[in-house]
Amino acid sequence: QVRLVESGGGLVQAGGSLRLSCAASASIFGINALAWYRQTPGQQRELVAIIANSGGTSYADSVKGRFTISRDNAKNTVYLQMNSLKPEDTAVYYCNANQFDGSWHTYWGQGTQVTVSS
């Protein structure tokens, strides 16, 4: 069992930056993939960015060039650096971890609100 706790959300003006952090309760070294999702009311949760254990990354088209996902295995933390924020980035952002140890396990954080004002 891995507990994920997000932090770093808040209110920012358009064009500004925020860095989200997701601290895991256990080592993330063996976690196959860490990701950030976001969700707005009435909408499905969407994948924003993902980072594999190898360090490979992938991003939603809407955030490419503006957001950067990274992981610090020593601190058991995954980050999402968000630059050039737009009002449409407003959402609850969730941290996600997927681990394979013979079977797949998926873990979610409680979410952190990001609000971008125009």
Side-chain angles (χ1 to χ4, degrees), residues 23-85:
S25 61
S27 173
I28 65 172
F29 181 78
I31 292 180
N32 299 76
L34 291 157
W36 288 95
Y37 285 73
R38 66 187 181 187
Q39 188 172 26
T40 55
Q43 300 297 316
Q44 285 190 336
R45 198 169 291 188
E46 66 168 347
L47 178 64
V48 175
I50 188 167
I51 183 166
N53 208 8
S54 64
T57 59
S58 183
Y59 297 90
D61 288 342
S62 59
V63 307
K64 279 181 183 176
R66 300 188 298 122
F67 290 11
T68 302
I69 188 171
S70 61
R71 61 192 289 169
D72 186 334
N73 289 346
K75 295 183 178 180
N76 297 325
T77 301
V78 60
Y79 303 98
L80 184 68
Q81 178 65 44
M82 305 186 293
N83 299 328
S84 302
L85 282 161

Side-chain angles (χ1 to χ4, degrees), residues 10-18 82-87 115-118:
L11 174 64
V12 64
Q13 287 189 332
S17 298
L18 282 174
M82 305 186 293
N83 299 328
S84 302
L85 282 161
K86 304 175 181 180
T115 303
V116 184
S117 63
S118 57

